[in-house]
Amino acid sequence: MTAGGDGPRRVDRLSLVVGVLFALAGVVFLLDALGVWTLRGDYLVPVGLIVLGLVVLASDWPLGSRRS
Amino acid sequence: MTTDPAPQRPAAAADRHGPAAATVLVGALLVLVGIGWLLDAGGVGVPWRAILPAALIAVGLACAAGAFQGRQHALMVVGVALTLLLSVAVAADWNLDLPLAGGVGDRTARPATPAELRRYELGVGNLQLDLRQLQVPAGTTAVEARVGIGELDVRLPDGVAVDVVASSGLGQVQVLGREEGGLASRIETSAGDGDRRLRLDVRSGLGQVRVER
């Protein structure tokens, strides 16, 4: 319910998914900066492709409400 | 008797319950960077290399939270830019620590004795480190210099053996006739013999590094 009582508020799925991925990527980079683990440069491109694919899939995935 | 319907507020205004997530985030980041810079200038070690990942986490959380108010174009652009910057930094082995406490401008240092040596740092500008008059004692003497953005020029004394590690995140590195350029340039070399040895570790984040006799 929204504050105005005019139906459920719509969530922008792309912003939600991308935001979560940014936060996860930030954690990975932070752990690298703090020396907890070392990121390998040659892993970045394939991992980036996987993440990009997930973003594309998730941005059009049904979430909660059905499309009209 | 009829009454006119009450004027409707625009939908965007009706959904706004406070400042936009992007506004809050940018303001908070500016305040945090300012505090970090102040601490750095005051001699407190600030892990700048961890700042950008922390900023990316904050952008991600703000973007996810803002998803309930609509699409967060600005935050997504900022997040993509930060992710690309951090990815390139990892791939090219950049050192993102910027010695802000070193200040801004052009500096020249001419130490004459080992007691005058210190860790030379400059945030932005050109640093000339003239070691030609340095009285190097027997054994190994270490010298370290960092420039965040700008040129670092080192002149070595004669008659002293040297071990040099010179690097630049993005820029040209010239050491005793050898030269490299581009992303993550690095030259590691030694020259000369003798019991008096100078170990030089010099780096510029963005700019040229030159070491010559």
Side-chain angles (χ1 to χ4, degrees):
Chain A
M1 295 282 287
T2 61
D6 52 352
R9 182 181 292 176
R10 297 186 62 164
V11 178
D12 184 69
R13 282 171 295 188
L14 183 62
S15 297
L16 185 63
V17 170
V18 169
V20 170
L21 288 174
F22 281 160
L24 291 176
V27 170
V28 170
F29 285 122
L30 185 63
L31 292 176
D32 175 63
L34 297 177
V36 177
W37 69 47
T38 303
L39 280 177
R40 286 181 52 177
D42 49 352
Y43 286 174
L44 284 176
V45 174
V47 169
L49 278 177
I50 292 169
V51 170
L52 186 63
L54 288 176
V55 168
V56 171
L57 287 173
S59 64
D60 205 30
W61 202 267
L63 186 73
S65 58
R66 300 267 180 215
R67 278 188 166 181
S68 58
Chain B
M1 182 178 170
T2 60
T3 56
D4 292 334
Q8 291 186 340
R9 288 185 301 161
D15 282 345
R16 293 280 297 273
H17 299 289
T23 308
V24 173
L25 180 75
V26 170
L29 286 178
L30 288 174
V31 170
L32 286 176
V33 170
I35 291 172
W37 198 326
L38 270 180
L39 290 173
D40 200 23
V44 178
V46 177
W48 287 107
R49 207 181 163 207
I51 293 291
L52 286 182
L56 182 58
I57 293 172
V59 167
L61 294 178
C63 191
F68 295 91
Q69 294 179 335
R71 184 150 295 180
Q72 302 296 314
H73 294 283
L75 288 175
M76 284 196 266
V77 169
V78 172
V80 168
L82 278 174
T83 305
L84 285 177
L85 177 64
L86 285 164
S87 300
V88 172
V90 168
D93 196 22
W94 277 355
N95 182 352
L96 293 172
D97 275 339
L98 193 63
L100 292 173
V104 175
D106 293 342
R107 306 276 168 78
T108 301
R110 292 189 181 87
T113 65
E116 293 177 26
L117 289 173
R118 57 184 176 80
R119 190 177 194 268
Y120 298 93
E121 287 188 338
L122 180 63
V124 180
N126 299 323
L127 173 61
Q128 188 171 37
L129 182 55
D130 188 348
L131 303 175
R132 287 177 295 181
Q133 306 302 318
L134 180 64
Q135 297 159 14
V136 181
T140 300
T141 302
V143 179
E144 192 176 350
R146 296 278 183 275
V147 172
I149 300 172
E151 193 172 309
L152 175 53
D153 191 4
V154 182
R155 301 297 297 272
L156 298 172
D158 290 324
V160 174
V162 291
D163 301 317
V164 181
V165 177
S167 60
S168 173
L170 178 60
Q172 197 173 40
V173 178
Q174 297 175 326
V175 180
L176 302 173
R178 292 177 58 186
E179 189 172 322
E180 278 200 21
L183 272 177
S185 310
R186 178 186 171 94
I187 293 178
E188 193 168 345
T189 188
S190 298
D193 290 315
D195 62 340
R196 295 188 304 146
R197 182 165 288 275
L198 200 59
R199 192 174 66 224
L200 192 65
D201 183 357
V202 290
R203 175 177 180 82
S204 174
L206 181 64
Q208 187 181 44
V209 177
R210 189 167 53 236
V211 179
E212 56 189 17
R213 293 232 191 232

